[in-house]
Amino acid sequence: MPKIIDGKALALEIQNKLAKEITNQKLTPSLAVLLVGNDPASKIYIELKKTACHQVGIEFHEYCLAEETGNEKVLEVISFLNNDDDIDAILVQLPLPEHLDTNQIIQAIDPAKDVDGFHPENIQKFLNNQTDFVPGLPLGIIKLLESTGEKLENLTAIIIAKNEILYQPLAKLLQDKKIKTQVFKPEDKNIKNKCQKSDILISACGQPFFITTDMVKDKVIVIDVGTNKVGDYVVGDVDYSGVFEKAGHITPVPGGVGPMTVAMLLCNTVKLSRVKNKIKSTP
Ligand code: GUN
């Protein structure tokens, strides 16, 4: 298997399969995306999601609100989308402007339309094995790990993250695969030592060049979730050129986790649409 884990190619393969399924079964899935403000990275992500939706045949509805929009107005839009029968799935693009209450806004999404799986009710159901709906980002990471062809069972993994919404479901999925997983915050003083002992290293700390060559084990599998703007470039959390030499497998940025997250978003939109419209999936 090649050293570079090609998320873009894998995402394309998944999207092509999904497009066929949508056409053959005459599905009409629809996704609403809500953006508040002018964050340039968010705008780029939304464009990527829109293009991918159009390519596979998912209706894409974009709601853009001004930076200064208040909490009540955002909640009003969500309530409108919750009640709109033509909308199967809702995504609120994060991060929201600081004056907004992100938790309250996520909790206002109808759990049946929560395509990210971020609603606390959905997170609890997932952690308690009460649903087969898997949040997109962690699911994409698992598929990237599987694509290496390596035997993952009994390996050790470290997740470096600040955000519970990401690491809780991801840690569960890894543990379900019998991968011994530990989560650390980037500021933990034992981080270097812990990284050096891990067979799998997943970084989502949002700090460019945080993971350096001296921190990783020989033949490590590296999944870089970071998307950090440095000058005109987007880079991950990993000092790629150095770590590449030592790694067994590594995701590039861009072209690794990002496209897979989009592909999983599309799959989950179709999944919610099937449930809402009571359409069985075919094997
Ligand atoms: N911002 C960056 N990635 C994501 C994502 O997967 N979902 C949402 N809602 N916002 C994001």
Side-chain angles (χ1 to χ4, degrees):
M1 279 290 163
K3 187 183 263 203
I4 296 176
I5 306 173
D6 190 344
K8 201 169 168 183
L10 189 57
L12 206 61
E13 207 179 287
I14 292 168
Q15 284 171 206
N16 287 340
K17 205 166 144 223
L18 192 65
K20 284 199 186 112
E21 198 180 310
I22 291 172
T23 310
N24 293 344
Q25 296 174 43
K26 301 187 173 57
L27 305 176
T28 55
S30 65
L31 169 68
V33 170
L34 175 58
L35 170 70
V36 187
N38 305 306
D39 180 50
S42 290
K43 285 188 171 174
I44 294 170
Y45 293 142
I46 289 182
E47 278 310 303
L48 293 172
K49 288 168 186 171
K50 188 199 287 184
T51 307
C53 277
H54 288 158
Q55 280 168 351
V56 302
I58 294 176
E59 261 182 47
F60 187 89
H61 302 261
E62 197 174 345
Y63 291 79
C64 297
L65 301 177
E67 179 84 27
E68 60 276 12
T69 307
N71 223 53
E72 286 310 308
K73 179 71 196 170
V74 178
L75 294 175
E76 221 176 86
V77 175
I78 290 177
S79 167
F80 170 80
L81 295 171
N82 285 342
N83 292 312
D84 185 343
D85 212 34
D86 291 335
I87 298 293
D88 298 325
I90 303 170
L91 179 144
V92 175
Q93 187 66 30
L94 301 178
L96 287 167
E98 279 193 4
H99 67 276
L100 295 173
D101 184 339
T102 301
N103 286 337
Q104 192 191 20
I105 289 168
I106 287 174
Q107 284 178 37
I109 301 172
D110 176 352
K113 294 189 178 187
D114 167 32
V115 72
D116 275 319
F118 288 168
H119 192 291
E121 208 175 278
N122 287 333
I123 293 177
Q124 275 319 306
K125 271 193 192 162
F126 175 69
L127 295 176
N128 297 328
N129 296 318
Q130 291 163 337
T131 175
D132 61 357
F133 184 90
V134 185
L137 177 56
L139 180 59
I141 291 173
I142 294 293
K143 288 193 184 290
L144 289 167
L145 287 172
E146 286 172 346
S147 77
T148 62
E150 300 289 346
K151 184 173 170 289
L152 301 173
E153 205 177 302
N154 294 325
L155 295 186
T156 55
I158 182 167
I159 304 171
I160 304 161
K162 299 176 195 167
N163 185 340
E164 252 188 18
I165 287 179
L166 166 75
Y167 69 70
Q168 272 190 335
L170 178 58
K172 177 190 161 25
L173 287 179
L174 293 167
Q175 273 149 2
D176 286 350
K177 287 192 138 316
K178 301 202 167 39
I179 298 168
K180 290 174 221 105
T181 305
Q182 288 185 301
V183 180
F184 283 86
K185 297 244 153 69
E187 58 272 18
D188 193 294
K189 59 181 184 332
N190 289 323
I191 199 127
K192 184 171 175 180
N193 181 269
K194 291 288 176 187
C195 285
Q196 285 168 339
K197 296 196 173 99
S198 283
D199 303 313
I200 299 170
L201 191 155
I202 301 168
S203 183
C205 65
Q207 297 181 28
F209 314 112
F210 183 78
I211 305 293
T212 47
T213 318
D214 58 324
M215 287 171 78
V216 304
K217 188 175 172 177
D218 223 21
K219 300 275 170 236
V220 62
I221 304 175
V222 181
I223 305 288
D224 191 349
V225 186
T227 42
N228 311 296
K229 199 109 198 284
V230 176
D232 287 341
Y233 296 96
V234 172
V235 299
D237 294 345
V238 176
D239 180 6
Y240 188 81
S241 53
V243 173
F244 178 88
E245 297 301 326
K246 232 171 149 183
H249 303 274
I250 184 166
T251 56
V253 177
V257 174
M260 275 303 283
T261 312
V262 175
M264 294 301 106
L265 166 69
L266 306 184
C267 292
N268 279 343
T269 299
V270 172
K271 198 163 195 175
L272 292 186
S273 173
R274 283 183 187 284
V275 174
K276 178 168 156 286
N277 300 303
K278 301 187 175 58
I279 303 167
K280 284 208 179 77
S281 68
T282 49

